[in-house]
Amino acid sequence: TLVKPNRSIPSNVQYLTGISEDDVAQAPALASVLPSLRNFIGESVLVGHNIQFDVAFLKRAGMQLPNPTIDTYAIATVLQPSAASYSLLSLASLFGVASSDAHRALEDVMMTQSVYHAFWKQAFDLPIEVLREIVLMGRQFDWDARLFFDALSVARASELDQIERSDDASEAFLLGLFPREFATTQPEEDPAPLDYDLPTVTEALSADGPLASADENFELREEQSEMLGFVAEAFDAERHILIEAPPGTGKTLAYLLPAAWYARANRSQVVISTGTIVLQDQIINHDTAQLQRALPFSFDVALLKGREHYLCPRRLLALRRRGPTSSEEMQMFARIVVWLWGYRAAPLNTRGPAEMTVWRRLSANDERCALNRCADQMDRACPYYQARRRAEQASIVVINHALLLADLMADTPILPPFAHIIIDEAHHLEDASTRGLGYRVELEGIQRQLAALGNQTEGLLADLLGQTEALASAKAYRRFNEFAGLITEASAAMGHHTRKFFVALRRFLTQYADASRAEHTQYIRIDQVVRNHTNWREVNHQWERLSQFTSGIANGMSQVHKGLLRLSVADNANYGDLVAAVRAASRYLSELDSFFREFVASPMANAIYWVEVQPDGSHVSIHYAPLSVAGMLREYVWNGKKTAILTSATLRTDGTFTYIKDRLGLQGADEAVVSSPFDYRENALVYTVEDMPDPSERDAYQSGVERVLIKLCRATEGRTLVLFTSYAQLRQTASAITDSLADAGIVVYDQSMGSSRSQLLDEFVQADKAVLLGTRSFWEGIDVPGDDLSVLVVVRLPFSVPTDPIFSARGEQAQIAFLEIALPEALLMFRQGFGRLIRSKTDRGVFVILDHRVISKRYGQKFLDVLPPATLRRGPMAQLPEVAVQWLKRDRDTH
């Protein structure tokens, strides 16, 4: 039954569900139907997709349901551990379940029933050992899929009775799920000699070249050959070069081909670093595979990620021995076991902070873990060990910028030694370096670390005493016991003084910046002016008290670590885990002590410190980032490489590479610009709205934005991406235009809905008429060719927020911050935004600028100058809808 909602139904909800105001006008009230619903349910098990949401909804309405539950969402995450989406629609599509109206409740129920039965059938394909592990471990918690797997164990009871039940057998089975690809690798024979001859390499992309011969769909692109020549010459001369290659160039093949050829000819390695996972997947799964089929020689390619991306078999076995300690840990354990059995070729998708926390405890992120120890203790089962072995043997190693930076900071190298590097998406490198070299501290994180440290009865310290009692002499054990007692007392005191420190910091921020009354998150930079403030003395005073414990416990754990190393216990996996955990705790506390000392009283010269305060001052986090990364990149990356090739669609500002060179420490590098394969003048219209109010006239400007978008999107029937620079304006705009566009059958998807970027894009593309509103992450990396995205609107020029701590600190180092930092950054982002519109030679689109400063400010022309040579038009907002329709209609008429 429908029920009367006692409120109006928003237009977009009416559009999505087909439920109108008339449909519910005579419907009963919810309270009147709950009794019959309760009688109907009885004592049955409740099955639903995200069932706890429904149960909580009914509970708020006064209906208590103590019934046992089964969540098809939880089942899905276990049985489909690599699925891109766990929405009911996605799962229905996966199993071929038909859906005529996905946004009606009865249809959702029928889909859930069908999906549940599909999972029941699929679960019978699980190896019985996998099922046994899930059931055995899951008995400790009433997790959301427990009843499903318990019922499955009953249905397969005869199979369970036939397998060995010892812990050793279970551990052997789990360890056996990890592949041993390099267990018996033999050195390959010396490959045939290969010359790196420039004419031969550059002709590989010709009409008669090997790629054209191997692929009938190969498209000869002069621009791609042009870029290949620049890359090939850089390798040959061992030079550093920046290459700007616009969309449509085919730049990955243009650098992969000479890189593979050079690496193979010189028996060296080339590292390729990307800014996004999407590009990594394209390189590994498409481009290198294409080259492997075409080139007259073979070469190996390896993908290497940070340690935190690999599952540690030792830690998984340790979890199994002690058993899960929470429902989240149980569900993650079940997901991992199924993933190892049948899905490990695809990534394991972790969703939400709870799963991420569990994964971090199971990952191989302990950088002191020696590869030879993994080989000896885990029979070479460690995925990180295998990835590292592949990387050592490969001609091409693909990484991301974060790993490149982590390698600089690691005590022991993560990457194999290399002398040649290609940086794709190089415009991200400064931001990635800033993040990768940064640091963040919050009270909750410190409390979690202290809780993990524990005391003499639980946590790491208890584990320490439990293991050393059997391994150490009586004298050594007494020493460990004394240390554990002292550390237990000190950590309790440290927790107390940490809370007092953050209370003092919050109090100061309230006095200094009125942080408790802010409506939005505040970013308060802590510089010397702030530290000289009278009220900062209390923060400093609390730190002096706290520092006695941070340094003392760090030193104590360091002494424990040295004592454990002196025991020299061999062939004991648990002992190895203990040593690594103690060292990690010691290092964390030592870094925390140094960071607090710098933040409060002794800042480093090349450093930015700030505090992030949530609205009402309820949550505070402390941050650090390097003031400049140019020197570090120059010293640790560029100076040690024979060849460095940096490429992106956007490297120049104001027609030169000066800005990016200065930011990355590459002043002496060569430069090259590849021409564009697209006819922008024919295919792209840039329309500047000349009668828009200035953004400083806040209300009038916002009203103008809303009017333009409603009329424009109605005229073009959606197909529009709108780029914002702030979430607040995005939310306000979405609220204002959604109902009006819904009346025209146009759905508005916006980033504030909480969906992932990929999910929003999928829904936008699949909808007949849709508008997508996005902020910073949508300005780049979006590839929607064809009619699905025909109009792109820039609401506001993408200048950095002046109060951003990193921007303001770096601005102080410039003579004219706006011209030297703010404007170049905005120009690069503006060009990236424009690049979302034309993605192929046949695309046709309209690029709309709603920021009047393009016309009214002296710097405005620079934004138009950085765009490709498109058709430019300036006009009133009233003419825009008709102009846009006519421009897009020309394309349809042509075809």
Side-chain angles (χ1 to χ4, degrees), residues 678-687 790 792 834-835 837-848 867-873 887-888 890-891:
F678 299 152
D679 186 350
Y680 285 102
R681 199 174 304 280
E682 175 63 27
N683 292 345
L685 171 67
V686 176
Y687 191 99
S790 298
L792 194 151
F834 178 86
L837 184 63
I838 305 297
R839 304 302 298 174
S840 72
K841 289 184 178 180
T842 59
D843 278 1
R844 189 175 182 83
V846 180
F847 183 73
V848 181
L867 298 179
T871 296
L872 303 179
R873 188 171 300 181
W887 181 267
L888 298 175
R890 284 174 55 190
D891 176 53

mmCIF file of all heavy atoms in Angstrom, residues 678-687 790 792 834-835 837-848 867-873 887-888 890-891:
data_model
loop_
_atom_site.group_PDB
_atom_site.id
_atom_site.type_symbol
_atom_site.label_atom_id
_atom_site.label_comp_id
_atom_site.label_asym_id
_atom_site.label_seq_id
_atom_site.Cartn_x
_atom_site.Cartn_y
_atom_site.Cartn_z
ATOM 1 N N PHE A 678 42.025 17.666 -33.251
ATOM 2 C CA PHE A 678 40.620 18.080 -33.333
ATOM 3 C C PHE A 678 40.478 19.438 -34.009
ATOM 4 O O PHE A 678 41.325 20.320 -33.833
ATOM 5 C CB PHE A 678 39.993 18.157 -31.940
ATOM 6 C CG PHE A 678 39.992 16.853 -31.184
ATOM 7 C CD1 PHE A 678 40.016 16.841 -29.795
ATOM 8 C CD2 PHE A 678 39.954 15.636 -31.847
ATOM 9 C CE1 PHE A 678 40.015 15.651 -29.091
ATOM 10 C CE2 PHE A 678 39.950 14.435 -31.163
ATOM 11 C CZ PHE A 678 39.982 14.440 -29.782
ATOM 12 N N ASP A 679 39.395 19.586 -34.758
ATOM 13 C CA ASP A 679 39.051 20.871 -35.378
ATOM 14 C C ASP A 679 38.128 21.618 -34.420
ATOM 15 O O ASP A 679 36.908 21.570 -34.542
ATOM 16 C CB ASP A 679 38.375 20.642 -36.730
ATOM 17 C CG ASP A 679 38.124 21.950 -37.488
ATOM 18 O OD1 ASP A 679 38.306 23.034 -36.885
ATOM 19 O OD2 ASP A 679 37.729 21.885 -38.660
ATOM 20 N N TYR A 680 38.722 22.305 -33.458
ATOM 21 C CA TYR A 680 37.927 22.968 -32.426
ATOM 22 C C TYR A 680 37.073 24.104 -32.989
ATOM 23 O O TYR A 680 35.967 24.358 -32.526
ATOM 24 C CB TYR A 680 38.837 23.506 -31.327
ATOM 25 C CG TYR A 680 39.381 22.432 -30.408
ATOM 26 C CD1 TYR A 680 40.683 21.963 -30.542
ATOM 27 C CD2 TYR A 680 38.581 21.876 -29.422
ATOM 28 C CE1 TYR A 680 41.188 20.977 -29.693
ATOM 29 C CE2 TYR A 680 39.062 20.886 -28.572
ATOM 30 C CZ TYR A 680 40.370 20.441 -28.723
ATOM 31 O OH TYR A 680 40.838 19.462 -27.887
ATOM 32 N N ARG A 681 37.593 24.784 -33.999
ATOM 33 C CA ARG A 681 36.826 25.899 -34.554
ATOM 34 C C ARG A 681 35.508 25.420 -35.163
ATOM 35 O O ARG A 681 34.479 26.093 -35.094
ATOM 36 C CB ARG A 681 37.653 26.651 -35.605
ATOM 37 C CG ARG A 681 37.135 28.062 -35.881
ATOM 38 C CD ARG A 681 38.079 28.806 -36.817
ATOM 39 N NE ARG A 681 39.423 28.870 -36.319
ATOM 40 C CZ ARG A 681 39.845 29.743 -35.385
ATOM 41 N NH1 ARG A 681 38.996 30.591 -34.851
ATOM 42 N NH2 ARG A 681 41.101 29.746 -34.988
ATOM 43 N N GLU A 682 35.539 24.233 -35.711
ATOM 44 C CA GLU A 682 34.332 23.675 -36.324
ATOM 45 C C GLU A 682 33.443 22.980 -35.299
ATOM 46 O O GLU A 682 32.216 22.983 -35.422
ATOM 47 C CB GLU A 682 34.729 22.674 -37.420
ATOM 48 C CG GLU A 682 33.571 21.923 -38.061
ATOM 49 C CD GLU A 682 32.608 22.845 -38.802
ATOM 50 O OE1 GLU A 682 33.048 23.931 -39.259
ATOM 51 O OE2 GLU A 682 31.416 22.484 -38.932
ATOM 52 N N ASN A 683 34.048 22.399 -34.265
ATOM 53 C CA ASN A 683 33.299 21.513 -33.371
ATOM 54 C C ASN A 683 32.966 22.103 -32.002
ATOM 55 O O ASN A 683 32.104 21.558 -31.302
ATOM 56 C CB ASN A 683 34.077 20.211 -33.162
ATOM 57 C CG ASN A 683 34.149 19.381 -34.426
ATOM 58 O OD1 ASN A 683 33.414 19.626 -35.378
ATOM 59 N ND2 ASN A 683 35.051 18.423 -34.459
ATOM 60 N N ALA A 684 33.636 23.160 -31.574
ATOM 61 C CA ALA A 684 33.423 23.688 -30.221
ATOM 62 C C ALA A 684 33.035 25.161 -30.273
ATOM 63 O O ALA A 684 33.733 25.984 -30.882
ATOM 64 C CB ALA A 684 34.678 23.511 -29.384
ATOM 65 N N LEU A 685 31.947 25.492 -29.634
ATOM 66 C CA LEU A 685 31.510 26.879 -29.480
ATOM 67 C C LEU A 685 31.753 27.304 -28.040
ATOM 68 O O LEU A 685 31.281 26.650 -27.098
ATOM 69 C CB LEU A 685 30.026 27.017 -29.801
ATOM 70 C CG LEU A 685 29.391 28.378 -29.463
ATOM 71 C CD1 LEU A 685 29.964 29.467 -30.370
ATOM 72 C CD2 LEU A 685 27.873 28.315 -29.589
ATOM 73 N N VAL A 686 32.491 28.388 -27.844
ATOM 74 C CA VAL A 686 32.719 28.961 -26.513
ATOM 75 C C VAL A 686 31.826 30.189 -26.393
ATOM 76 O O VAL A 686 31.989 31.175 -27.130
ATOM 77 C CB VAL A 686 34.203 29.340 -26.312
ATOM 78 C CG1 VAL A 686 34.395 30.019 -24.956
ATOM 79 C CG2 VAL A 686 35.088 28.109 -26.434
ATOM 80 N N TYR A 687 30.862 30.126 -25.479
ATOM 81 C CA TYR A 687 29.885 31.206 -25.310
ATOM 82 C C TYR A 687 30.085 31.851 -23.953
ATOM 83 O O TYR A 687 29.933 31.206 -22.902
ATOM 84 C CB TYR A 687 28.462 30.660 -25.436
ATOM 85 C CG TYR A 687 27.381 31.722 -25.540
ATOM 86 C CD1 TYR A 687 26.851 32.065 -26.782
ATOM 87 C CD2 TYR A 687 26.897 32.363 -24.406
ATOM 88 C CE1 TYR A 687 25.849 33.032 -26.887
ATOM 89 C CE2 TYR A 687 25.903 33.329 -24.505
ATOM 90 C CZ TYR A 687 25.378 33.662 -25.748
ATOM 91 O OH TYR A 687 24.398 34.627 -25.859
ATOM 92 N N SER A 790 27.062 17.129 -24.355
ATOM 93 C CA SER A 790 27.144 18.078 -25.465
ATOM 94 C C SER A 790 27.326 19.517 -25.008
ATOM 95 O O SER A 790 27.696 20.372 -25.800
ATOM 96 C CB SER A 790 25.875 17.987 -26.327
ATOM 97 O OG SER A 790 25.735 16.700 -26.889
ATOM 98 N N LEU A 792 28.903 21.964 -21.771
ATOM 99 C CA LEU A 792 29.690 22.040 -20.545
ATOM 100 C C LEU A 792 29.638 23.479 -20.041
ATOM 101 O O LEU A 792 29.936 24.411 -20.786
ATOM 102 C CB LEU A 792 31.137 21.608 -20.803
ATOM 103 C CG LEU A 792 31.983 21.318 -19.554
ATOM 104 C CD1 LEU A 792 33.042 20.281 -19.873
ATOM 105 C CD2 LEU A 792 32.664 22.583 -19.042
ATOM 106 N N PHE A 834 37.706 22.457 -19.844
ATOM 107 C CA PHE A 834 37.339 22.506 -21.261
ATOM 108 C C PHE A 834 37.591 21.160 -21.943
ATOM 109 O O PHE A 834 36.831 20.742 -22.829
ATOM 110 C CB PHE A 834 38.127 23.608 -21.968
ATOM 111 C CG PHE A 834 37.844 23.690 -23.440
ATOM 112 C CD1 PHE A 834 36.769 24.430 -23.906
ATOM 113 C CD2 PHE A 834 38.642 23.010 -24.363
ATOM 114 C CE1 PHE A 834 36.495 24.493 -25.269
ATOM 115 C CE2 PHE A 834 38.372 23.075 -25.718
ATOM 116 C CZ PHE A 834 37.294 23.820 -26.177
ATOM 117 N N GLY A 835 38.649 20.474 -21.528
ATOM 118 C CA GLY A 835 39.007 19.198 -22.150
ATOM 119 C C GLY A 835 37.972 18.108 -21.991
ATOM 120 O O GLY A 835 38.031 17.085 -22.672
ATOM 121 N N LEU A 837 34.908 18.390 -22.895
ATOM 122 C CA LEU A 837 33.837 18.581 -23.878
ATOM 123 C C LEU A 837 34.075 17.807 -25.169
ATOM 124 O O LEU A 837 33.205 17.061 -25.628
ATOM 125 C CB LEU A 837 33.681 20.070 -24.181
ATOM 126 C CG LEU A 837 32.532 20.438 -25.121
ATOM 127 C CD1 LEU A 837 31.192 20.069 -24.512
ATOM 128 C CD2 LEU A 837 32.577 21.934 -25.449
ATOM 129 N N ILE A 838 35.208 17.983 -25.798
ATOM 130 C CA ILE A 838 35.497 17.351 -27.090
ATOM 131 C C ILE A 838 36.437 16.187 -26.858
ATOM 132 O O ILE A 838 37.612 16.376 -26.516
ATOM 133 C CB ILE A 838 36.128 18.371 -28.068
ATOM 134 C CG1 ILE A 838 35.228 19.596 -28.224
ATOM 135 C CG2 ILE A 838 36.389 17.703 -29.415
ATOM 136 C CD1 ILE A 838 33.875 19.303 -28.815
ATOM 137 N N ARG A 839 35.932 14.962 -27.034
ATOM 138 C CA ARG A 839 36.719 13.771 -26.742
ATOM 139 C C ARG A 839 37.017 12.939 -27.983
ATOM 140 O O ARG A 839 37.715 11.930 -27.884
ATOM 141 C CB ARG A 839 35.977 12.899 -25.717
ATOM 142 C CG ARG A 839 35.611 13.606 -24.420
ATOM 143 C CD ARG A 839 36.815 14.177 -23.700
ATOM 144 N NE ARG A 839 37.757 13.161 -23.290
ATOM 145 C CZ ARG A 839 38.946 13.419 -22.747
ATOM 146 N NH1 ARG A 839 39.341 14.665 -22.589
ATOM 147 N NH2 ARG A 839 39.748 12.430 -22.399
ATOM 148 N N SER A 840 36.455 13.322 -29.133
ATOM 149 C CA SER A 840 36.755 12.607 -30.379
ATOM 150 C C SER A 840 36.593 13.579 -31.542
ATOM 151 O O SER A 840 36.069 14.687 -31.388
ATOM 152 C CB SER A 840 35.809 11.406 -30.562
ATOM 153 O OG SER A 840 34.502 11.842 -30.880
ATOM 154 N N LYS A 841 37.031 13.169 -32.705
ATOM 155 C CA LYS A 841 36.982 14.048 -33.881
ATOM 156 C C LYS A 841 35.551 14.363 -34.295
ATOM 157 O O LYS A 841 35.303 15.382 -34.946
ATOM 158 C CB LYS A 841 37.734 13.402 -35.045
ATOM 159 C CG LYS A 841 39.241 13.364 -34.863
ATOM 160 C CD LYS A 841 39.933 12.790 -36.090
ATOM 161 C CE LYS A 841 41.451 12.811 -35.928
ATOM 162 N NZ LYS A 841 42.148 12.257 -37.117
ATOM 163 N N THR A 842 34.613 13.508 -33.925
ATOM 164 C CA THR A 842 33.221 13.734 -34.340
ATOM 165 C C THR A 842 32.392 14.441 -33.274
ATOM 166 O O THR A 842 31.230 14.752 -33.511
ATOM 167 C CB THR A 842 32.557 12.394 -34.695
ATOM 168 O OG1 THR A 842 32.610 11.528 -33.552
ATOM 169 C CG2 THR A 842 33.263 11.728 -35.869
ATOM 170 N N ASP A 843 32.964 14.669 -32.090
ATOM 171 C CA ASP A 843 32.218 15.361 -31.030
ATOM 172 C C ASP A 843 31.931 16.805 -31.417
ATOM 173 O O ASP A 843 32.715 17.458 -32.127
ATOM 174 C CB ASP A 843 33.014 15.355 -29.715
ATOM 175 C CG ASP A 843 32.843 14.048 -28.959
ATOM 176 O OD1 ASP A 843 32.136 13.166 -29.466
ATOM 177 O OD2 ASP A 843 33.420 13.918 -27.867
ATOM 178 N N ARG A 844 30.816 17.299 -30.934
ATOM 179 C CA ARG A 844 30.452 18.695 -31.147
ATOM 180 C C ARG A 844 29.822 19.200 -29.853
ATOM 181 O O ARG A 844 28.996 18.509 -29.253
ATOM 182 C CB ARG A 844 29.454 18.830 -32.299
ATOM 183 C CG ARG A 844 29.175 20.272 -32.727
ATOM 184 C CD ARG A 844 28.275 20.257 -33.960
ATOM 185 N NE ARG A 844 28.023 21.604 -34.431
ATOM 186 C CZ ARG A 844 28.842 22.306 -35.212
ATOM 187 N NH1 ARG A 844 29.983 21.766 -35.606
ATOM 188 N NH2 ARG A 844 28.540 23.521 -35.605
ATOM 189 N N GLY A 845 30.224 20.386 -29.379
ATOM 190 C CA GLY A 845 29.711 20.813 -28.094
ATOM 191 C C GLY A 845 29.781 22.312 -27.880
ATOM 192 O O GLY A 845 30.382 23.060 -28.651
ATOM 193 N N VAL A 846 29.127 22.726 -26.787
ATOM 194 C CA VAL A 846 29.053 24.134 -26.404
ATOM 195 C C VAL A 846 29.694 24.291 -25.027
ATOM 196 O O VAL A 846 29.322 23.574 -24.076
ATOM 197 C CB VAL A 846 27.597 24.628 -26.369
ATOM 198 C CG1 VAL A 846 27.544 26.099 -25.975
ATOM 199 C CG2 VAL A 846 26.911 24.399 -27.713
ATOM 200 N N PHE A 847 30.631 25.216 -24.916
ATOM 201 C CA PHE A 847 31.324 25.508 -23.660
ATOM 202 C C PHE A 847 30.850 26.878 -23.186
ATOM 203 O O PHE A 847 31.084 27.888 -23.842
ATOM 204 C CB PHE A 847 32.836 25.501 -23.902
ATOM 205 C CG PHE A 847 33.672 25.711 -22.670
ATOM 206 C CD1 PHE A 847 33.800 24.725 -21.715
ATOM 207 C CD2 PHE A 847 34.366 26.902 -22.473
ATOM 208 C CE1 PHE A 847 34.592 24.908 -20.590
ATOM 209 C CE2 PHE A 847 35.158 27.097 -21.357
ATOM 210 C CZ PHE A 847 35.280 26.093 -20.409
ATOM 211 N N VAL A 848 30.172 26.914 -22.038
ATOM 212 C CA VAL A 848 29.538 28.137 -21.547
ATOM 213 C C VAL A 848 30.288 28.649 -20.319
ATOM 214 O O VAL A 848 30.556 27.890 -19.389
ATOM 215 C CB VAL A 848 28.067 27.883 -21.190
ATOM 216 C CG1 VAL A 848 27.409 29.166 -20.695
ATOM 217 C CG2 VAL A 848 27.310 27.321 -22.389
ATOM 218 N N LEU A 867 42.546 28.478 -24.261
ATOM 219 C CA LEU A 867 41.709 27.473 -24.909
ATOM 220 C C LEU A 867 42.181 27.214 -26.331
ATOM 221 O O LEU A 867 42.801 28.078 -26.962
ATOM 222 C CB LEU A 867 40.248 27.937 -24.923
ATOM 223 C CG LEU A 867 39.571 28.147 -23.565
ATOM 224 C CD1 LEU A 867 38.143 28.633 -23.773
ATOM 225 C CD2 LEU A 867 39.587 26.863 -22.749
ATOM 226 N N PRO A 868 41.891 26.038 -26.867
ATOM 227 C CA PRO A 868 42.193 25.778 -28.279
ATOM 228 C C PRO A 868 41.427 26.769 -29.160
ATOM 229 O O PRO A 868 40.479 27.429 -28.708
ATOM 230 C CB PRO A 868 41.687 24.340 -28.489
ATOM 231 C CG PRO A 868 41.601 23.751 -27.128
ATOM 232 C CD PRO A 868 41.282 24.877 -26.208
ATOM 233 N N PRO A 869 41.802 26.890 -30.430
ATOM 234 C CA PRO A 869 41.161 27.884 -31.318
ATOM 235 C C PRO A 869 39.726 27.512 -31.687
ATOM 236 O O PRO A 869 39.439 27.095 -32.817
ATOM 237 C CB PRO A 869 42.073 27.885 -32.547
ATOM 238 C CG PRO A 869 42.684 26.519 -32.560
ATOM 239 C CD PRO A 869 42.879 26.148 -31.128
ATOM 240 N N ALA A 870 38.803 27.649 -30.724
ATOM 241 C CA ALA A 870 37.403 27.326 -30.955
ATOM 242 C C ALA A 870 36.667 28.546 -31.511
ATOM 243 O O ALA A 870 37.228 29.634 -31.635
ATOM 244 C CB ALA A 870 36.763 26.871 -29.647
ATOM 245 N N THR A 871 35.397 28.367 -31.846
ATOM 246 C CA THR A 871 34.548 29.488 -32.252
ATOM 247 C C THR A 871 34.105 30.235 -30.996
ATOM 248 O O THR A 871 33.527 29.628 -30.086
ATOM 249 C CB THR A 871 33.319 28.979 -33.022
ATOM 250 O OG1 THR A 871 33.754 28.349 -34.229
ATOM 251 C CG2 THR A 871 32.381 30.124 -33.356
ATOM 252 N N LEU A 872 34.392 31.528 -30.923
ATOM 253 C CA LEU A 872 34.070 32.332 -29.743
ATOM 254 C C LEU A 872 32.845 33.186 -30.017
ATOM 255 O O LEU A 872 32.688 33.748 -31.108
ATOM 256 C CB LEU A 872 35.254 33.238 -29.372
ATOM 257 C CG LEU A 872 36.596 32.538 -29.093
ATOM 258 C CD1 LEU A 872 37.662 33.579 -28.779
ATOM 259 C CD2 LEU A 872 36.468 31.553 -27.939
ATOM 260 N N ARG A 873 31.991 33.300 -29.011
ATOM 261 C CA ARG A 873 30.829 34.168 -29.141
ATOM 262 C C ARG A 873 30.489 34.746 -27.762
ATOM 263 O O ARG A 873 30.537 34.044 -26.758
ATOM 264 C CB ARG A 873 29.630 33.407 -29.688
ATOM 265 C CG ARG A 873 28.434 34.308 -30.021
ATOM 266 C CD ARG A 873 27.354 33.539 -30.771
ATOM 267 N NE ARG A 873 27.856 32.989 -32.030
ATOM 268 C CZ ARG A 873 27.103 32.286 -32.884
ATOM 269 N NH1 ARG A 873 25.826 32.067 -32.605
ATOM 270 N NH2 ARG A 873 27.615 31.816 -33.990
ATOM 271 N N TRP A 887 23.711 25.358 -32.640
ATOM 272 C CA TRP A 887 25.078 24.830 -32.829
ATOM 273 C C TRP A 887 25.072 23.298 -32.805
ATOM 274 O O TRP A 887 25.704 22.662 -33.658
ATOM 275 C CB TRP A 887 25.995 25.371 -31.737
ATOM 276 C CG TRP A 887 27.421 24.897 -31.862
ATOM 277 C CD1 TRP A 887 27.975 23.817 -31.263
ATOM 278 C CD2 TRP A 887 28.455 25.477 -32.666
ATOM 279 N NE1 TRP A 887 29.290 23.682 -31.624
ATOM 280 C CE2 TRP A 887 29.614 24.700 -32.487
ATOM 281 C CE3 TRP A 887 28.505 26.593 -33.502
ATOM 282 C CZ2 TRP A 887 30.815 25.000 -33.122
ATOM 283 C CZ3 TRP A 887 29.710 26.896 -34.136
ATOM 284 C CH2 TRP A 887 30.848 26.103 -33.949
ATOM 285 N N LEU A 888 24.353 22.708 -31.859
ATOM 286 C CA LEU A 888 24.304 21.259 -31.765
ATOM 287 C C LEU A 888 23.479 20.658 -32.896
ATOM 288 O O LEU A 888 23.761 19.549 -33.355
ATOM 289 C CB LEU A 888 23.719 20.837 -30.411
ATOM 290 C CG LEU A 888 24.523 21.278 -29.179
ATOM 291 C CD1 LEU A 888 23.782 20.905 -27.904
ATOM 292 C CD2 LEU A 888 25.905 20.650 -29.185
ATOM 293 N N ARG A 890 23.404 21.656 -35.951
ATOM 294 C CA ARG A 890 24.243 21.575 -37.158
ATOM 295 C C ARG A 890 24.924 20.218 -37.250
ATOM 296 O O ARG A 890 25.060 19.644 -38.315
ATOM 297 C CB ARG A 890 25.305 22.668 -37.133
ATOM 298 C CG ARG A 890 24.780 24.056 -37.459
ATOM 299 C CD ARG A 890 25.860 25.096 -37.264
ATOM 300 N NE ARG A 890 27.057 24.785 -38.020
ATOM 301 C CZ ARG A 890 28.233 25.431 -37.880
ATOM 302 N NH1 ARG A 890 28.336 26.392 -36.976
ATOM 303 N NH2 ARG A 890 29.264 25.120 -38.602
ATOM 304 N N ASP A 891 25.321 19.697 -36.083
ATOM 305 C CA ASP A 891 25.957 18.383 -36.069
ATOM 306 C C ASP A 891 24.981 17.296 -36.494
ATOM 307 O O ASP A 891 25.298 16.430 -37.294
ATOM 308 C CB ASP A 891 26.503 18.091 -34.666
ATOM 309 C CG ASP A 891 27.095 16.695 -34.556
ATOM 310 O OD1 ASP A 891 27.951 16.371 -35.379
ATOM 311 O OD2 ASP A 891 26.693 15.944 -33.649
#
